[in-house]
Amino acid sequence: SRSALARAGRAGVHAAVVSAIFPSGSPSAGVPLGARRLGAWIRNGRTRVYALGGVNGRNAAQLTRTGAVGIAAIDGVLD
């Protein structure tokens, strides 16, 4: 959540993984944030963020302007 990311920044956490960014088949994914909301969270925080959840070769480029320092993917690398 946005508040968890803010708490992580205040606690000095070096990086966090935020998920799900895009629709995902993972049973734990939840409602996707979307790249625009992810970007807003990153701009308003202090913690480096890796984007996870539904990231694949078709949508990864949408993350380039969010400020995410990287992406994490499981099934997406196989797509």
Side-chain angles (χ1 to χ4, degrees):
S1 71
R2 187 178 204 159
S3 62
L5 193 57
R7 284 192 310 273
R10 289 191 300 274
V13 170
H14 295 285
V17 177
V18 175
S19 180
I21 309 307
F22 301 111
S24 170
S26 171
S28 63
V31 177
L33 292 171
R36 185 174 293 156
R37 188 180 308 167
L38 175 67
W41 286 17
I42 292 169
R43 282 188 294 282
N44 292 319
R46 304 185 236 184
T47 305
R48 292 175 188 92
V49 170
Y50 290 87
L52 172 68
V55 178
N56 59 44
R58 293 179 301 279
N59 60 26
Q62 294 177 42
L63 299 170
T64 58
R65 291 189 178 97
T66 64
V69 295
I71 61 172
I74 299 169
D75 292 333
V77 297
L78 303 175
D79 291 343

